[in-house]
Amino acid sequence: MGNSITVSEKKEFIEWFLDHYELQKKGAAFLLRYLSSDEKLLKKVHFVENVRYLWKSLIISTKCSNMPPFRFIKNKRVDSDVETAFFDIKFSPDEDIYIGLYFKDRNTCPEYAAVLEGNPMEKQDLVQDKLLSLFAEILLDQAVLDFQEKQLYKKIDDALATGDREAFLQLSEQWRKMLELKE
């Protein structure tokens, strides 16, 4: 997945795609042709696997896919009208647009893989996921320490209750070491 897909590569891919697949919504083919006819627009087109969290995106599906036929998403608003997407793109040519195509064998299609780019918002998701994972790990470690501390308290109490001096001294040493680790 490179980040420097050329305009000609995108144009060739769109032509190849339209030659090999029939779209569920005919107007979507017109929209793809429109995009491929304008180099300035093609510079702003990015094919991605997942359009989640992106400000402006299209979902386009072929007849061999179970996905919705067409979705235009802009600023969290979803529209299934191709004409709305067309006019938005036409009158906002400087905005990036991310396209998720859904078709049979998309995961193994070398032509599609050649034009795929990364979703810039997924990087933020990865950072967020790592932070959440780290936070969860810290909480889990603290819970384990709290449990071990309570168990040690109980053992010290039991040693005092039974008068087991040797066990008390050994457990007290463990308690001291645990306190040092906390500091």
Side-chain angles (χ1 to χ4, degrees), residues 1 47-51 99-100 102 106-107 112 116-117:
M1 285 190 207
F47 292 99
V48 293
E49 283 187 66
N50 183 349
V51 299
I99 301 175
Y102 293 90
R106 81 186 272 246
N107 294 329
Y112 189 50
L116 273 178
E117 299 181 54

Side-chain angles (χ1 to χ4, degrees), residues 39-56:
E39 282 193 23
K40 184 179 176 188
L41 285 176
L42 271 180
K43 286 180 184 176
K44 296 294 187 175
V45 167
H46 309 281
F47 292 99
V48 293
E49 283 187 66
N50 183 349
V51 299
R52 191 171 64 168
Y53 304 125
L54 292 168
W55 188 74
K56 183 175 178 177

